[in-house]
Amino acid sequence: MDLGARTDRLAQLLEQRLDIRGTGFETKLRRAGRLLPRHLRGDGAKLVEAMKLSEHPRLGRQVDPKRLEKAADAIEHYLLNLDAWDRRRGIAVSVSASVLMNLLIVAALVAGVLVWRGLL
């Protein structure tokens, strides 16, 4: 397993599926934040730590390739099964629902003030 190529692939998927900009896997993973489930953020942290360890000749031997393969597979599986259109639609529905709720609250307050002053 080539760790650099695998993290580049994951960085590309983060950009495509979650619209996260940045340079490199570590930056994109940090910017993803809560868009990824907690266990996947932990898996991503393992990959970032392994990337740093693999740069050193002696510390690179401490890296467990099976654990990293499993972590990278989990992140890739999540990102490939993520529907970007459904995510954007959910955000749009959430924003429009909050705007509508705020308009209803303002209308109720205006009606309350009009009733209190005796104009309704």
Side-chain angles (χ1 to χ4, degrees):
M1 172 180 104
D2 183 21
L3 186 60
R6 191 70 189 260
T7 55
D8 289 342
R9 166 88 172 123
L10 292 175
Q12 182 183 24
L13 283 173
L14 282 169
E15 186 170 347
Q16 288 174 353
R17 299 297 179 137
L18 295 177
D19 296 329
I20 295 174
R21 305 282 184 239
T23 56
F25 177 67
E26 185 176 4
T27 304
K28 290 179 182 181
L29 184 68
R30 189 174 0 99
R31 288 185 181 177
R34 292 186 180 230
L35 294 176
L36 290 174
R38 181 179 294 175
H39 68 280
L40 293 180
R41 289 193 304 260
D43 288 344
K46 289 176 193 174
L47 290 171
V48 169
E49 183 179 344
M51 285 173 35
K52 290 178 182 176
L53 286 177
S54 66
E55 293 173 359
H56 194 278
R58 288 190 181 184
L59 295 178
R61 292 185 225 154
Q62 295 178 357
V63 176
D64 181 18
K66 291 180 183 178
R67 184 178 68 135
L68 296 179
E69 184 74 28
K70 187 176 178 183
D73 285 342
I75 295 172
E76 187 172 6
H77 181 264
Y78 176 79
L79 291 173
L80 288 175
N81 290 329
L82 188 64
D83 187 12
W85 177 249
D86 187 42
R87 186 177 146 268
R88 288 184 186 120
R89 184 178 33 206
I91 291 170
V93 167
S94 175
V95 167
S96 56
S98 67
V99 168
L100 181 62
M101 187 65 181
N102 287 335
L103 286 174
L104 287 173
I105 290 172
V106 168
L109 287 173
V110 167
V113 167
L114 290 176
V115 168
W116 180 44
R117 292 197 172 198
L119 297 174
L120 272 182

